[in-house]
Amino acid sequence: MKMWTRTALSAAAMMVAMPAMAQQPAQVSVAIDLNSPGAKIEPAIQGQFAEDLGRGLYDGIWVGPDSKIPNTNGYRSDVMAALDKLHIPVIRWPGGCFADQYDWRDGIGPREKRPVRINYTWGGVTYDNSFGTNEFMDYAERLGADAYVAGNMGSMAPRDMQQWIEYMTAGGKSTLAEERRANGRDKPWTNLKYFGVGNETWGCGGNMTAEHAANEHRRYATFVQRQSEGGPIVRVGSGANVDDYHWTEVFMRDAARTMDALSLHYYTFPGSWEHKGPATGFDKAAWASTLVHALHMDELVTKHSAIMDKYDPDKRVALYVDEWGTWYDQEPGSHPGFLYQQNSLRDAEVAALTLNIFHRHTDRVKLAAIAQMVNVLQAMILTRDDKMLLTPTYHVFDMYVPFQGATPYPATVEGPRYKQGEYDLPMVDVSAAKGADGKLYLSLVNLDPDRAARVTTGLGGTATGRILTGPAIDTHNTFDAPNTIHPVAYAGKNVGGKLVFDLPAKSVAVVAVTQ
Ligand code: AHR
């Protein structure tokens, strides 16, 4: 994104000195280069992550067929209907850190016979394995999503990965295929598109060095089948934590041949790892700090991609940001190991800014998974008993559906910056792409919590869509008031042949342009 002009900066400085003028909308201009299309925005960048963690699976999507909560074969009907609207391209399961303690055999066969285990990774609570492979694969299939199954490299053998994949994908007469049939699934699932070779092997997945993990990857990946009836299976290497560029260097140098994608994990929080800050009731410094940290994703993707370019100039190996999102202090009163947090307008901004960053890196970023889908971290949906609410993050994903499979164009933004104490950010962020339906879509994000912007484009025609905003920086939905924040109709204006958008403070808009 282009930076700001000297004139605009001094105008912004004057406005700080003259509070009466601070009410004036900032003048922002956007130029969209329709002659320089980028690589397609893979739908999979809008992927979801559903770990066996807290109430993400149990309570969140699975209540079992005997529950009083309305369900379809055990899946919460309200949650399933809401997720349907997002056209979820891919779901990653069962972890996360949990993946490296999980034995897939625990989760198949008659539910009443499945073992009860302790979730050592998350809270030390027991789980009854009633949500296992068949339940996950059917759920993903029912939602029209591809499955991204994360294998256990930390505490099981390569043979277990091989057999798990065979159970899911074998069409013939193998004993594992017969076992799957006996468990109620005749045909193999054809939506197993991605298989993770371990998770965070630098930490919870085995505390390995990069060199050791890359070697282990080579060994395990050898036994990960690469083809199924559903097509190729992508072998995903367990990649770097945040800015561990050495990790990416070693994996690309030593293991690129045996992987089709390498992951990256990055979480956004305003404070420190020990004191991340609350999900609501925060101040403007925490708002700005969160957005600065969210924008850091651009630098991370740029630098990891540059290393990958060195070893893989043809970009055969993709970068999967398969864990991202906000991570705050858990909600007061919730289980410390459950990572349950509220979700506000601030999270909506993080979601939009992050997806926009991925739109600028489509050459390498082919999949991403927000953490996590229901009741955990930056969730789409929160549930309590039989109640459900859609979060501001859900609404952003809903508004962004037209970007799935779209062709992005560079957008150059000029205007003032949003400054808050030590934090200095662009005020407006824009992403533009031509959707699979042939329409041009714009996403417009105003990061400033106080100041509206008038965004002038070089485009003609009309533009209509939806906008998400709220009265406070932490506006959020609750179980008693679940519709406090939701998108409303929004349109641009044609002023003298140019499309202009009046963008309120702290807002996210997505519009379709008709030229
Ligand atoms: O998403 C929560 C946890 O964060 C995941 O289990 C782990 O991979 C990461 O550290």
Side-chain angles (χ1 to χ4, degrees):
M1 181 186 298
K2 201 166 153 187
M3 287 302 127
W4 319 96
T5 62
R6 185 182 289 269
T7 329
L9 260 179
S10 52
M14 278 171 60
M15 285 186 182
V16 172
M18 301 167 68
M21 288 183 67
Q23 302 308 316
Q24 294 298 315
Q27 297 298 319
V28 175
S29 67
V30 178
I32 293 156
D33 183 358
L34 296 170
N35 294 318
S36 305
K40 182 176 103 168
I41 299 169
E42 286 297 333
I45 68 150
Q46 291 183 24
Q48 300 285 336
F49 175 30
E51 179 166 14
D52 191 340
L53 192 180
R55 297 188 306 108
L57 303 179
Y58 300 101
D59 271 10
I61 63 178
W62 176 258
V63 287
D66 301 328
S67 173
K68 287 202 190 84
I69 296 173
N71 66 84
T72 312
N73 301 328
Y75 306 109
R76 277 187 81 121
S77 305
D78 53 355
V79 170
M80 191 151 71
L83 292 177
D84 245 340
K85 276 197 73 198
L86 297 185
H87 299 275
I88 294 174
V90 54
I91 308 174
R92 179 171 181 252
W93 170 86
C97 292
F98 178 80
D100 286 287
Q101 78 152 78
Y102 185 59
D103 181 348
W104 69 274
R105 286 176 200 278
D106 288 349
I108 58 169
R111 287 191 200 111
E112 63 284 1
K113 291 197 176 146
R114 296 185 193 174
V116 173
R117 301 275 186 219
I118 297 172
N119 191 332
Y120 291 105
T121 316
W122 299 114
V125 295
T126 55
Y127 58 100
D128 66 4
N129 273 300
S130 56
F131 190 89
T133 299
N134 288 54
E135 288 77 14
F136 170 69
M137 294 301 289
D138 283 351
Y139 194 57
E141 186 179 67
R142 162 64 191 75
L143 288 172
D146 288 331
Y148 174 175
V149 171
N152 180 340
M153 175 160 124
S155 64
M156 293 193 83
R159 189 160 186 260
D160 291 291
M161 284 188 183
Q162 188 177 57
Q163 296 199 338
W164 195 6
I165 296 171
E166 183 179 326
Y167 177 84
M168 292 185 276
T169 64
K173 275 206 162 296
S174 85
T175 298
L176 285 165
E178 294 297 352
E179 194 173 355
R180 184 194 64 235
R181 291 187 187 106
N183 291 336
R185 173 73 189 200
D186 180 22
K187 294 226 157 55
W189 289 280
T190 53
N191 59 338
L192 181 70
K193 291 280 161 63
Y194 311 94
F195 196 86
V197 185
N199 169 75
E200 296 194 353
T201 44
W202 41 262
C204 61
N207 280 307
M208 303 176 204
T209 62
E211 290 74 10
H212 182 67
N215 266 338
E216 285 292 279
H217 171 92
R218 288 160 57 136
R219 185 162 80 100
Y220 276 73
T222 307
F223 303 96
V224 171
Q225 183 187 317
R226 299 180 64 191
Q227 280 293 329
S228 74
E229 284 188 17
I233 297 176
V234 175
R235 300 159 302 172
V236 189
S238 161
N241 183 30
V242 191
D243 56 358
D244 186 349
Y245 300 115
H246 173 71
W247 191 277
T248 299
E249 183 89 39
V250 171
F251 259 70
M252 290 305 293
R253 188 193 66 206
D254 295 354
R257 206 170 47 80
T258 52
M259 85 199 162
D260 310 301
L262 181 61
S263 71
L264 168 65
H265 289 182
Y266 173 58
Y267 286 96
T268 297
F269 43 88
S272 62
W273 181 248
E274 293 74 26
H275 303 286
K276 300 181 185 72
T280 55
F282 51 84
D283 60 13
K284 282 188 191 151
W287 165 277
S289 168
T290 306
L291 300 190
V292 164
H293 284 97
L295 291 177
H296 185 54
M297 179 69 87
D298 190 64
E299 179 181 327
L300 294 173
V301 169
T302 303
K303 290 187 172 169
H304 284 290
S305 297
I307 295 165
M308 294 177 81
D309 286 349
K310 222 167 70 178
Y311 295 94
D312 176 34
D314 296 336
K315 301 184 194 288
R316 188 191 64 78
V317 180
L319 182 62
Y320 286 2
V321 188
D322 60 19
E323 283 187 33
W324 68 272
T326 54
W327 192 326
Y328 307 120
D329 298 340
Q330 79 223 21
E331 282 303 302
S334 65
H335 190 295
F338 282 12
L339 312 186
Y340 176 76
Q341 65 189 37
Q342 249 296 358
N343 191 295
S344 77
L345 180 55
R346 176 176 62 168
D347 296 270
E349 295 247 340
V350 170
L353 293 172
T354 307
L355 291 172
N356 287 358
I357 289 169
F358 296 153
H359 294 176
R360 296 180 192 115
H361 291 277
T362 50
D363 59 330
R364 192 64 85 169
V365 178
K366 306 288 184 184
L367 179 150
I370 187 168
Q372 300 193 4
M373 194 159 72
V374 185
N375 286 336
V376 176
L377 298 177
Q378 190 176 352
M380 306 292 118
I381 293 173
L382 302 178
T383 67
R384 189 179 71 195
D385 304 325
D386 62 348
K387 292 187 172 175
M388 176 195 89
L389 65 82
L390 306 179
T391 66
T393 301
Y394 173 96
H395 291 306
V396 168
F397 271 71
D398 185 26
M399 289 159 68
Y400 269 62
V401 167
F403 286 103
Q404 290 189 15
T407 302
Y409 299 109
T412 305
V413 181
E414 293 196 12
R417 294 183 71 82
Y418 155 48
K419 293 187 180 179
Q420 170 74 46
E422 65 189 283
Y423 305 111
D424 182 352
L425 302 104
M427 180 179 173
V428 170
D429 189 75
V430 176
S431 177
K434 186 180 275 184
D437 58 6
K439 290 183 189 160
L440 181 67
Y441 288 90
L442 300 183
S443 146
L444 305 136
V445 186
N446 185 348
L447 289 76
D448 194 314
D450 297 315
R451 194 169 176 207
R454 168 158 273 221
V455 182
T456 304
T457 71
L459 303 166
T462 57
T464 54
R466 289 186 295 166
I467 191 165
L468 189 71
T469 185
I473 51 178
D474 69 343
T475 302
H476 58 278
N477 291 326
T478 65
F479 294 106
D480 295 328
N483 213 18
T484 305
I485 173 166
H486 59 271
V488 295
Y490 176 72
K493 296 175 186 143
N494 192 309
V495 180
K498 284 187 175 168
L499 265 180
V500 169
F501 296 94
D502 286 321
L503 203 56
K506 50 180 171 355
S507 61
V508 178
V510 173
V511 293
V513 177
T514 309
Q515 284 183 301

